[in-house]
Amino acid sequence: MGERTRQALPSVLSVLLSLVVCWLLIALSKDADGFTTATAAYLQMLWGGVGDWPRYLEGAAATVLTRPLGEAAMKAALLTFTGLSVAVAFKVGLFNIGAQGQMILGALAAAVVGAHVALPAPLHIPAALLGAALAGGAWAGIAAALRLYRGVHEVISTIMLNWVALRLVDNWLVVGPLRGVAEAGASITGTAEIHPTAQLPRLLGDVSRLNLGFVLAVVAAVTVWAWLTRTRSGFETRAVGLGDEAARAAGIPVARRAGLAMALAGALAGLAGAVLVLGTEGRYPGTLGAPYGFDGIAIALIGNNHPLGVGAAALFFGVLRAGGTRMQLLDVHKSFPELIQGLALLFVAGRLIWLAVLRKRSAPAPMPAAPPAPAAQVPHA
Amino acid sequence: MLEIIHRLLFATLDAAPALVFAALGAVLSERAGVVAVGMEGMMRTGAFCAAVAALVMPTPLAVGMGMLAGAALAAVHGFLCIRWRSDQVVSGIALNLVALAGGTFLLETHFGPNGTPPIQQLSTWELPGLSSIPVLGALSGHAAPTYLALGLPLLLQAMLTRTPLGLRLRAVGDKPHAVATLGLSVPALRWGAVLGSGLLAGLGGAVLSTTVLDRFEQHTPAGLGFMALAAMVFGRWTPMGAFLAAAFFAFGNALRIGLASSSPALLELVPQGVLLALPYVLTLLVLTLQGQRNSTPAALGVPYEQESR
């Protein structure tokens, strides 16, 4: 088994195992024909994520393909950005629980630039994206500064910053000073509508919500990957994450690398907010809805903190998320994609168990006399 | 004026126990070196199981079921982190996600989106002779968890600082190898602390659904588990410190609600959202001022390996 396979295999197996466990849960929660229902529900989830091919082949319009694909791509783009955010911080040894708060700030900045600044289209979108990246980066920068100068653990500070962002934006700014007013003078939920010049163009026209955000997410994943593996500062960042004392001894500016990585993490999460606002919502809504920032933690870890792994995990869970609502057709609850994601993360947390099991499998039976030991009796390594 | 203080104190004593128990649980776990990010999930599980159990059994017993449910989730954490040396933050976050999605699924498939049916709340205790005294009378008329939340921090503080077991628990969080050298089992001590933290988090959750509310709702406990972590850090990883911090948060909350309802003019001056953000901003400020390095358990989050020195 190659090193790359060995690194990726626990994640793949964890996702598969969580799919099986949830399939069993659905089956057991149904009184009659549970297994048939569970299988049918999974198929619905699949068709809802990658396009309803059975209906298309029966002659339905192409929108049964484009609509689900657009939803999946949109969700995958958001998960890629927040997943990358958490992964980049991880690379430097910091745990960014704050992607949600950074995303809120980014979304708000994008909504403000999109609605209150008048620019021609080629400039407006970059300006809104830049605003979101700066806002998210600054929010993460607070946590980075607290960590570097005051020793405040980033897990605690980013949790607190999430709450501050949520309360200040959702409970004050969006319902107060920044509240949008519709044409007739009636207030609407959320901020004012962004100008058409700030809207991310849709790639397939009006038949699907698929927009430029998906392309941006792919570019971001490849860029982060190239930065980490092909540039000096990326290499130094990874060196700091592997051990800051050794990195310091090698002359790497540890504090600067950590600060930069955390700011980049915040910028990526901020971009997630921008893609949501500029691509699909058109304004900062009353509340961001799904906690994409927290999902980013799961995506980063299931993707093994590798930028391309993050992209793959985001794509997979984007499909499940988009298709999840279709399970309701069979009276299966729509929270299963989230449960699958949570369980997958739980199984990924047991990475060492997977590695121990795999090692035993690949070892050519070194103990001829010993009976196969159950997992619980494996001695402490 | 006295009346207002009385009401604020009463509201604080009603709302604080859930946060106090969770914060104490977090202290117990982290002093033994195991990160307690999963508090929110354990509270949620405890709150849900207590509410469901209270539908079929007396409420005090149901609270016990909630505690066991919290401990069950903690056992998963222990299995992954102590037995298999998994990353403790990852495991905790995963438990939070599973508890959130799983709880939503079970709630909505069995009871619908509006929460469980109402249950019998824990009965309140009138303390004779006390209820007529101004301000102090606010101590009377609470359910048992309130009185437990006033006593337990002292007990836990004494246990951690004055008993051999407490010394060992703290040592396991600072220098586990030294503990192992004395012939004590690091995993056993950590298992005890983690299961204890699960019981306490479950109790905190159960208190929410059996005294603060009379049911489990989709948004229980709404971030209280994370607040408990903040209280723990704020209180520098000591039971009494965590208790005071938790009580302070609860008081701030009671004050905010009280102010918002009694003087709408204040909301013109300071918006609700700013008031809501205040406890978190304050926590950040305190952490900034006190710094953190000197009070964090030295081996926190470091999986224990026998042969690594």
Side-chain angles (χ1 to χ4, degrees):
Chain A
M1 204 174 1
E3 179 59 22
R4 257 164 216 248
T5 325
R6 214 175 68 93
Q7 286 297 319
L9 211 50
S11 293
V12 175
L13 291 172
S14 295
V15 170
L16 289 178
L17 181 60
S18 69
L19 281 171
V20 171
V21 169
C22 282
W23 180 75
L24 281 173
L25 280 176
I26 299 174
L28 295 176
S29 70
K30 297 283 164 196
D31 295 333
D33 273 341
F35 292 101
T36 325
T37 313
T39 310
Y42 269 32
L43 279 177
Q44 282 297 337
M45 184 158 70
L46 187 65
W47 304 141
V50 301
D52 197 339
W53 291 91
R55 273 178 60 202
Y56 179 67
L57 295 176
E58 282 168 16
T63 48
V64 299
L65 298 185
T66 50
R67 223 178 278 278
L69 280 171
E71 292 301 298
M74 179 207 120
K75 291 200 158 51
L78 297 175
L79 293 175
T80 302
F81 274 116
T82 57
L84 284 174
S85 167
V86 179
V88 162
F90 249 126
K91 283 292 176 193
V92 78
L94 295 174
F95 204 151
N96 180 22
I97 313 263
Q100 184 73 17
Q102 295 143 21
M103 181 179 175
I104 288 176
L105 267 285
L108 188 73
V112 169
V113 175
H116 298 287
V117 178
L119 281 172
L123 293 176
H124 207 168
I125 291 171
L129 291 175
L130 185 68
L134 288 177
W139 204 244
I142 299 175
L146 288 178
R147 171 70 196 243
L148 294 172
Y149 299 114
R150 301 298 306 162
V152 179
H153 201 286
E154 76 281 357
V155 167
I156 290 295
S157 63
T158 51
I159 287 174
M160 292 298 116
L161 285 167
N162 279 340
W163 286 103
V164 175
L166 182 78
R167 295 311 191 195
L168 287 185
V169 175
D170 285 15
N171 294 83
W172 174 38
L173 293 172
V174 175
V175 293
L178 291 177
R179 177 171 203 154
V181 178
E183 299 279 315
S187 355
I188 48 178
T189 27
T191 59
E193 193 88 31
I194 59 170
H195 293 304
T197 45
Q199 275 168 12
L200 295 179
R202 299 210 163 162
L203 301 181
L204 300 175
D206 284 339
V207 294
S208 157
R209 293 209 285 176
L210 178 64
N211 61 56
L212 193 66
F214 184 72
V215 179
L216 292 175
V218 174
V219 171
V222 174
T223 308
V224 168
W225 172 77
W227 170 64
L228 283 171
T229 56
R230 297 284 183 271
T231 70
R232 179 176 164 166
S233 77
F235 171 79
E236 290 184 350
T237 302
R238 286 190 295 145
V240 172
L242 291 172
D244 57 352
E245 275 175 48
R248 193 170 288 116
I252 295 172
V254 170
R256 200 183 328 153
R257 288 288 164 259
L260 185 74
M262 196 65 183
L264 181 61
L268 285 162
L271 285 174
V275 166
L276 184 69
V277 165
L278 307 177
T280 42
E281 296 287 343
R283 63 161 72 96
Y284 189 104
T287 176
L288 280 192
Y292 292 106
F294 292 113
D295 292 337
I297 300 170
I299 295 297
L301 293 162
I302 293 168
N304 207 11
N305 292 316
H306 189 291
L308 305 183
V310 166
L315 207 54
F316 181 78
F317 282 102
V319 167
L320 292 198
R321 284 304 181 76
T325 42
R326 290 260 305 235
M327 295 215 281
Q328 288 169 296
L329 292 176
L330 289 155
D331 220 13
V332 171
H333 197 263
K334 62 176 187 303
S335 67
F336 266 96
E338 282 153 59
L339 192 60
I340 293 172
Q341 190 179 300
L343 284 174
L345 182 59
L346 195 66
F347 298 143
V348 164
R351 185 171 288 274
L352 289 175
I353 305 180
W354 288 117
L355 293 179
V357 170
L358 292 172
R359 203 174 299 125
K360 206 182 284 173
R361 287 249 168 270
S362 56
M367 308 164 291
Q377 284 176 20
V378 176
H380 277 279
Chain B
M1 189 63 202
L2 279 182
E3 173 63 21
I4 294 174
I5 296 175
H6 180 105
R7 283 224 305 267
L8 279 178
L9 202 58
F10 191 87
T12 306
L13 285 168
D14 247 5
L19 190 54
V20 169
F21 293 134
L24 291 179
V27 170
L28 190 61
S29 173
E30 296 222 336
R31 282 314 284 254
V34 181
V35 178
V37 187
M39 278 291 135
E40 177 87 2
M42 296 180 204
M43 280 186 92
R44 187 170 164 84
T45 310
F48 180 64
C49 291
V52 172
L55 292 171
V56 294
M57 61 177 79
T59 306
L61 224 65
V63 170
M65 301 307 283
M67 293 177 72
L68 289 180
L73 214 59
V76 177
H77 192 51
F79 177 74
L80 285 172
C81 298
I82 302 169
R83 172 71 181 76
W84 283 99
R85 308 193 308 276
S86 301
D87 189 297
Q88 299 167 2
V89 185
V90 177
S91 166
I93 301 249
L95 289 179
N96 286 341
L97 290 178
V98 170
L100 185 62
T104 307
F105 162 65
L106 289 173
L107 178 72
E108 297 199 351
T109 47
H110 291 274
F111 303 103
N114 294 328
T116 61
I119 52 167
Q120 180 79 46
Q121 284 189 312
L122 278 186
S123 50
T124 53
W125 295 353
E126 297 298 331
L127 304 183
L130 206 60
S131 30
S132 51
I133 309 171
V135 180
L136 262 186
L139 272 170
S140 176
H142 301 280
T146 297
Y147 304 104
L148 185 61
L150 291 173
L152 196 60
L154 281 167
L155 255 171
L156 209 58
Q157 180 87 17
M159 193 274 276
L160 274 179
T161 54
R162 301 284 158 86
T163 67
L165 178 64
L167 179 71
R168 287 168 188 169
L169 275 177
R170 286 186 293 137
V172 152
D174 280 326
K175 290 198 168 61
H177 290 105
V179 176
T181 310
L182 295 175
L184 298 162
S185 165
V186 174
L189 283 163
R190 287 197 167 166
W191 264 110
V194 168
L195 289 178
S197 81
L199 287 172
L200 283 166
L203 175 60
V207 167
L208 283 178
S209 56
T210 58
T211 68
V212 179
L213 300 166
D214 63 348
R215 69 189 71 205
F216 176 86
E217 287 173 350
Q218 169 60 29
H219 292 296
T220 320
L224 221 54
F226 293 113
M227 259 339 252
L229 293 183
M232 167 196 76
V233 177
F234 203 163
R236 289 176 175 255
W237 282 268
T238 65
M240 279 314 287
F243 165 76
L244 291 174
F248 172 71
F249 289 153
F251 179 74
N253 205 36
L255 191 64
R256 178 182 62 73
I257 295 168
L259 283 175
S261 62
S262 67
S263 56
L266 180 90
L267 284 182
E268 302 271 309
L269 213 63
V270 189
Q272 174 87 346
V274 176
L275 287 177
L276 283 169
L278 216 54
Y280 309 107
V281 177
L282 273 180
T283 307
L284 277 173
L285 271 179
V286 170
L287 294 180
T288 310
L289 292 178
Q290 77 179 15
Q292 223 189 325
R293 287 211 171 93
N294 42 11
S295 44
T296 317
L300 181 61
V302 184
Y304 170 72
E305 286 175 77
Q306 188 77 54
E307 68 271 30
S308 78
R309 295 283 144 147

